Amino acid sequence: MKLAKQHDGMNDGMNNIGTAYILWLGALFQLHGLHRLYNGKIFTGLLWMFSLGLFGVGQLVDLLLIPHMVQEHNQKAREKYGLSPMGVPLVKPEVQRVILRQESQTEDLASSQLMVKLLNAAKNQGGRLTVTQGVLETGASFSEVETAFRTMVRSGYAEVSHEPTRSVIIPEFKPQGNQITVELLKAACTRGGKISVTQGVMLTGRSFADVEATLKDLVKTGYVDIGNDPESGVVMYEFKEL
């Protein structure tokens, strides 16, 4: 009986790709970002809504990202109920409640500590801070920094603004190795925001494979642009917020 209720609750929390695409069509009525709000991406959903889907570019890119958004949302829902991707219980309900309560307390403490670091970083930046700057200042991951920002916005302690001179896409991002990401950000800072794979290897001591994989992941999120050096033709990665 308990297991049946658990499955019913899980099914209620599952999202549908078709529904997400229908909500995406809200852009035709100037209602951008509804598909992101539907999948629990409140911060970027509001950003899309007030910037007309990042001037239409972000809205178009999301046509390819919607299946991943729905899959990610549904996976989080399964984890909430302690179920595997196939819907099989991973732990007994009694044990699950204890684990979730302990994990929640640990996450709340870590989140509070990160917010304090971000507030101190913002103070040194004149009260304004981008996600990339938050990663550089705290060493946390992009997803952790963005989540902390969303929490502060919901609480009324922070406001979201979009600088007219920049087009910064802020999607959900789970880096393979956040330490490498931070090292590459710092290396790019010393080179005017642009860096090649070889330069990244020289400045971080990481392998070519690790550096290239991390830079490509950053390009996918929109934090980094890719181009070629006009003189040498070498592939260069430009960090747009630096």
Side-chain angles (χ1 to χ4, degrees), residues 21-192:
Y21 275 112
I22 291 174
L23 291 174
W24 182 93
L25 291 174
L28 299 177
F29 304 97
Q30 302 304 312
L31 295 174
H32 299 77
L34 293 179
H35 57 288
R36 284 184 168 268
L37 295 173
Y38 172 65
N39 286 295
K41 300 181 181 295
I42 306 302
F43 181 75
T44 52
L46 293 175
L47 180 61
W48 259 234
M49 183 172 294
F50 291 108
S51 64
L52 299 180
L54 287 179
F55 309 106
V57 176
Q59 193 77 11
L60 289 175
V61 171
D62 281 354
L63 278 173
L64 301 176
L65 299 181
I66 281 177
H68 173 72
M69 291 184 197
V70 174
Q71 182 182 9
E72 184 180 45
H73 173 276
N74 291 345
Q75 180 59 34
K76 289 180 179 178
R78 293 187 187 96
E79 291 173 355
K80 176 182 177 181
Y81 289 98
L83 301 175
S84 71
M86 301 301 295
V88 180
L90 299 176
V91 294
K92 293 182 179 180
E94 294 79 6
V95 178
Q96 178 186 346
R97 282 194 291 271
V98 175
I99 293 174
L100 289 178
R101 188 158 49 245
Q102 291 176 342
E103 288 181 349
S104 177
Q105 292 173 350
T106 303
E107 290 173 358
D108 289 343
L109 177 60
S111 177
S112 298
Q113 292 174 340
L114 177 57
M115 287 182 195
V116 172
K117 293 179 181 179
L118 290 171
L119 287 171
N120 287 328
K123 181 179 179 182
N124 296 330
Q125 296 284 341
R128 292 172 176 248
L129 198 68
T130 65
V131 174
T132 299
Q133 289 170 336
V135 172
L136 278 169
E137 294 289 340
T138 65
S141 70
F142 277 92
S143 59
E144 289 170 341
V145 171
E146 187 180 350
T147 298
F149 279 157
R150 284 204 306 266
T151 300
M152 288 189 282
V153 169
R154 287 198 300 268
S155 302
Y157 291 106
E159 294 181 353
V160 180
S161 64
H162 187 77
E163 294 188 27
T165 57
R166 294 179 179 177
S167 296
V168 182
I169 300 175
I170 309 177
E172 292 290 337
F173 173 52
K174 296 181 179 179
Q176 294 179 345
N178 188 59
Q179 186 176 354
I180 302 179
T181 301
V182 174
E183 291 174 0
L184 289 172
L185 282 168
K186 292 180 178 179
C189 280
T190 66
R191 305 192 68 84

